[in-house]
Amino acid sequence: MANAQTIADPVKARPAPEQQMRVVIVGHVDHGKSTLVGRLFHDTGQLPDGKLEAIEEMCRRRGMPFEWAFLMDSLKAERDQGITIDTSQIWFRHDAREYVLIDAPGHREFIRNMVTGASNADAALLMIDADQGVRRQSRHHMYLLQLLGVREVAVAVNKMDLVDYDEDRFRAIEAEYRQYLEGIGITPRQIIPISAREGDNVATTSDKMDWYKGPTILETLPQFEHPASAAEQPLRLPLQDVYKFDERRILAGRIESGTLNVGDELVFSPSNRTARVESIESWNTDGNATTARAGESVGITLDEQIFVERGEIASHEMAAPIESDVFHARLFWLAETPLEIGATCELKIGPKRVDAVVEQIERVIDIDALSDHDATRVVRDEIADVVIRTSQLVAFDDHDNLPHTGRIVVVDRHLTLGGGVVSLGIYPDQRQAVTVRGTNLTEVDHRVDPARRVARNRHKPGVLWFTGLSGAGKSTLAMALEQRLFDKGYQVYVLDGDNVRTGLNANLGFSPEDRAENIRRVGEVAALLADAGLIVITAFISPYRADRDRAREAAGDTFHEVFIDADVATCESRDPKGLYKRARAGDIKEFTGISAPYEEPADPDISVDTSGRSIEECVDELVVYVTENFSNPR
């Protein structure tokens, strides 16, 4: 659905994208979408000359009643003759506003096309057959529209002529559907009884339904409020490609939101490289532009040659996108093969493709009953909340804030398997943890090499990174192990969570971002102490896998992940600090294991189950591990 067609005035210049209202018309198959479009054009005098007569003649030859939907079919025939049009989108003028009417398929088999048509819509008009009433597709389509962020909605109860323009029938459908819309957070602008075939309440008020006092379809269209101007939102320029032209490296892409100016300093996510815009390139124009806005496809050059690639998002640093490798997604699944926990897949986030795994299916949503249930798989046409982990950091936005950079598509090569919207949810934005702000830095080599430290200490250095739920026994075991190893002659020190937060990390709170920064600092300190020759034992919940991976990266081969394993029930029964009790009472927000996630190690170096075991038994196990892995191989 790439091109719109102007059938009223093909030569008149079209307005800028932000001045148009894109209205998708959805509903169950045969509920009258195409008929409404035809009737609108006829009743507003926007049919091309001869079109009405051509349809009448076609119907006469076929021996059938006049059918407005043939207007769309006749346009399709024009497309087949090579004219550049898209029969599902038509440019429509009314009063001071211009509309792109998107006629979306209603059949279940074409739900992909419906989603594609609706994905860029500003408003929606849903059709319900008065004779058939609310069907599953009536609910399904509107739920998908809500999911895609379409909030401006009106409903047309069509074919009122088939039910003798009966008010009771209309009121019953209105009540049923209004209740459903309220359940998904949508308040319709209007619910209108119409007969698209006969023209009742389409462009003019019907004299057959004098019990209806509301506006017609044509009067309702101007009531749709245009979404906030994309140009006024934070800048998002996903890079489609980087070209070498003459001696210039031109970064090309479409500005999804915001405004770009020559001289702006941009940050490219997720690489976090920065540079200033030196020029906005243009061709066949008098001079280069100095500014570009949302909706424009541009090529830019930078004031320095930095390495950025397709898929990165350019933005202003003060309002940059999120960076993370784990996030929530609300997916609608379209493939015949069910989506299951642990499934590997390829994601498209803007122009970027990245490998990913479905780590958790949080719930599957029943779009009819508006309830949800636990599940281990998502079958075709179902909608589910899932947790996705990508193989690398990706840049995106919460869909509620910036829809265009808050969507994903699950693909298998060129086949779309599903799609949805993303949010960071309870996970931390990792941008700050990976940003290096210092410049002109040069590392200085120590004169004492690691081998000499090992020789003096008579053991290898390393980081024993204890991770587990609060109450699992991390601090208890860490201190006991420190004592045991010290007595054996090891150079050993414990970095404990509460101890560090009273000093080094006293300025950090317990938000996801602060918790990530807490672990980043501890990881760096532990790596430094290990570099000094010590065995460092850390005792931190460290709930996020990405944070532990970053600590492993800092310490390198000396890092040992130790999973202090005890389930929530066991930890809660211990509750040494009374934290679980306070969390259950709501006094502590985002408490790990209760209201915040704990991502268990996928492949720890050692796992120590503390459930039903004594401290001495657990320490014995850890001492054996240290002896086997930290002994000096003299």
Side-chain angles (χ1 to χ4, degrees):
M1 293 187 177
N3 302 313
Q5 183 202 18
T6 305
I7 63 175
D9 186 354
V11 298
K12 186 173 182 178
R14 292 178 182 175
E18 62 269 22
Q19 295 173 319
Q20 293 181 338
M21 172 67 74
R22 299 171 62 84
V23 182
V24 63
I25 304 175
V26 298
H28 195 279
V29 63
D30 289 336
H31 278 203
K33 299 181 297 297
S34 298
T35 302
L36 175 64
V37 173
R39 190 79 210 193
L40 264 179
F41 273 86
H42 174 264
D43 290 0
T44 56
Q46 296 188 55
L47 278 181
D49 291 341
K51 183 62 66 178
L52 178 65
E53 291 74 12
I55 296 173
E56 288 175 336
E57 174 60 20
M58 180 172 59
C59 293
R60 188 193 61 77
R61 287 201 308 270
R62 296 184 182 185
M64 58 188 300
F66 181 84
E67 179 53 72
W68 279 112
F70 287 149
L71 171 64
M72 303 299 288
D73 291 341
S74 69
L75 296 177
K76 184 185 297 183
E78 290 180 1
R79 181 186 63 180
D80 294 340
Q81 293 171 25
I83 300 173
T84 307
I85 62 172
D86 185 327
T87 59
S88 294
Q89 299 190 32
I90 300 178
W91 195 23
F92 175 77
R93 297 174 184 271
H94 174 58
D95 287 342
R97 182 179 270 182
E98 290 157 338
Y99 302 87
V100 177
L101 300 181
I102 307 166
D103 183 15
H107 197 282
R108 177 176 177 271
E109 295 300 319
F110 299 114
I111 194 69
R112 281 187 181 87
N113 296 7
M114 177 267 165
V115 171
T116 301
S119 61
N120 292 314
D122 304 313
L125 180 60
L126 185 127
M127 306 288 290
I128 296 176
D129 187 316
D131 194 35
Q132 296 184 19
V134 178
R135 303 290 295 272
R136 186 168 192 270
Q137 291 297 81
S138 309
R139 293 185 286 270
H140 200 174
H141 284 180
M142 195 55 77
Y143 196 98
L144 290 175
L145 287 168
Q146 188 269 352
L147 184 60
L148 292 167
V150 179
R151 298 291 183 270
E152 291 291 324
V153 169
V155 180
V157 179
N158 190 28
K159 303 187 183 180
M160 287 298 294
D161 53 306
L162 297 184
V163 295
D164 296 327
Y165 302 100
D166 182 58
E167 180 180 5
D168 290 342
R169 178 60 179 163
F170 169 74
R171 298 300 180 197
I173 293 173
E174 179 188 29
E176 178 185 355
Y177 204 59
R178 193 180 290 278
Q179 181 179 15
Y180 181 78
L181 293 179
E182 289 176 355
I184 59 175
I186 289 180
T187 302
R189 286 282 171 189
Q190 303 292 342
I191 297 182
I192 310 166
I194 71 168
S195 170
R197 176 184 293 274
E198 304 301 328
D200 294 292
N201 289 336
V202 175
T204 57
T205 300
S206 172
D207 57 7
K208 303 183 184 69
M209 291 181 280
D210 55 2
W211 45 265
Y212 174 74
K213 306 301 180 185
T216 65
I217 294 292
L218 196 61
E219 292 167 336
T220 298
L221 292 178
Q223 295 180 4
F224 288 139
E225 290 186 2
H226 202 283
S229 171
E232 297 174 1
Q233 295 175 324
L235 174 67
R236 296 292 184 266
L237 170 58
L239 297 187
Q240 292 287 349
D241 220 329
V242 180
Y243 300 98
K244 185 74 180 295
F245 190 79
D246 297 332
E247 296 302 319
R248 296 167 293 169
R249 290 179 74 245
I250 299 177
L251 283 55
R254 181 180 185 274
I255 301 176
E256 297 293 352
S257 61
T259 301
L260 176 75
N261 299 294
V262 171
D264 284 356
E265 183 170 30
L266 302 182
V267 58
F268 294 84
S269 303
S271 71
N272 288 320
R273 294 181 174 88
T274 59
R276 290 190 182 278
V277 179
E278 186 167 81
S279 68
I280 299 173
E281 299 295 314
S282 59
W283 289 265
N284 298 321
T285 59
D286 296 330
N288 288 340
T290 59
T291 187
R293 296 160 58 87
E296 294 184 48
S297 295
V298 298
I300 61 173
T301 64
L302 304 175
D303 66 344
E304 61 178 298
Q305 301 298 318
I306 60 174
F307 178 75
V308 293
E309 56 187 345
R310 173 185 170 86
E312 296 208 48
I313 297 178
S315 69
H316 296 128
E317 188 169 10
M318 293 300 292
I322 294 164
E323 291 181 351
S324 182
D325 60 0
V326 59
F327 49 82
H328 293 268
R330 177 162 289 182
L331 287 180
F332 44 88
W333 192 245
L334 303 173
E336 295 289 350
T337 304
L339 178 71
E340 297 184 333
I341 296 172
T344 58
C345 56
E346 186 178 20
L347 294 186
K348 280 185 63 181
I349 305 178
K352 188 176 184 65
R353 286 177 177 252
V354 62
D355 293 331
V357 61
V358 177
E359 205 162 74
Q360 186 181 353
I361 296 175
E362 297 178 310
R363 59 176 186 154
V364 169
I365 299 166
D366 183 332
I367 62 171
D368 293 309
L370 294 182
S371 59
D372 57 75
H373 58 272
D374 295 337
T376 58
R377 54 168 31 194
V378 184
V379 301
R380 180 180 173 180
D381 291 346
E382 282 189 329
I383 293 173
D385 287 340
V386 303
V387 175
I388 292 178
R389 186 178 297 276
T390 54
S391 60
Q392 57 186 271
L393 280 181
V394 292
F396 62 91
D397 288 288
D398 277 343
H399 178 263
D400 287 346
N401 297 330
L402 289 175
H404 287 293
T405 43
R407 295 170 178 159
I408 60 171
V409 180
V410 184
V411 297
D412 179 9
R413 285 171 290 187
H414 300 295
L415 181 64
T416 298
L417 304 181
V421 299
V422 296
S423 65
L424 190 59
I426 53 179
Y427 293 98
D429 184 347
Q430 300 178 41
R431 169 175 293 281
Q432 296 303 319
V434 300
T435 300
V436 178
R437 298 191 181 280
T439 57
N440 301 321
L441 303 177
T442 304
E443 291 191 14
V444 179
D445 293 332
H446 290 274
R447 292 190 177 184
V448 180
D449 63 35
R452 293 176 63 192
R453 298 183 194 275
V454 171
R456 172 170 291 184
N457 292 334
R458 300 181 179 178
H459 63 78
K460 298 178 186 176
V463 175
L464 287 165
W465 190 278
F466 286 18
T467 176
L469 293 170
S470 177
K474 298 181 300 300
S475 294
T476 301
L477 293 182
M479 295 304 180
L481 179 62
E482 181 190 41
Q483 178 70 57
R484 188 84 72 85
L485 293 179
F486 184 81
D487 292 343
K488 286 177 173 289
Y490 287 87
Q491 297 294 322
V492 58
Y493 189 76
V494 172
L495 293 172
D496 180 75
D498 285 1
N499 294 354
V500 171
R501 279 187 173 273
T502 61
L504 174 67
N505 292 345
N507 64 325
L508 298 178
F510 289 89
S511 68
E513 285 72 25
D514 277 359
R515 298 183 76 171
E517 174 61 12
N518 181 51
I519 298 305
R520 188 194 70 80
R521 294 182 190 179
V522 171
E524 294 293 335
V525 171
L528 289 172
L529 292 177
D531 192 48
L534 276 66
I535 293 176
V536 186
I537 306 169
T538 72
F540 294 83
I541 297 172
S542 46
Y544 303 117
R545 192 177 301 167
D547 296 338
R548 301 196 297 268
D549 289 345
R550 204 164 287 118
R552 179 188 293 276
E553 185 177 347
D557 293 338
T558 69
F559 186 91
H560 300 254
E561 190 172 48
V562 183
F563 181 30
I564 307 300
D565 188 6
D567 57 36
V568 174
T570 299
C571 296
E572 194 164 359
S573 67
R574 295 170 178 164
D575 205 9
K577 303 175 183 176
L579 299 177
Y580 284 95
K581 186 177 180 181
R582 292 176 58 197
R584 294 291 186 191
D587 296 335
I588 302 177
K589 307 297 182 185
E590 298 181 350
F591 187 79
T592 302
I594 302 296
S595 52
Y598 175 72
E599 299 175 350
E600 289 188 4
D603 186 23
D605 295 285
I606 177 175
S607 181
V608 180
D609 188 350
T610 65
S611 304
R613 301 175 68 196
S614 70
I615 295 173
E616 290 303 311
E617 284 180 291
C618 297
V619 174
D620 287 345
E621 185 178 351
L622 288 165
V623 169
V624 169
Y625 181 82
V626 171
T627 303
E628 291 176 349
N629 291 276
F630 289 79
S631 297
N632 182 7
R634 288 181 301 171

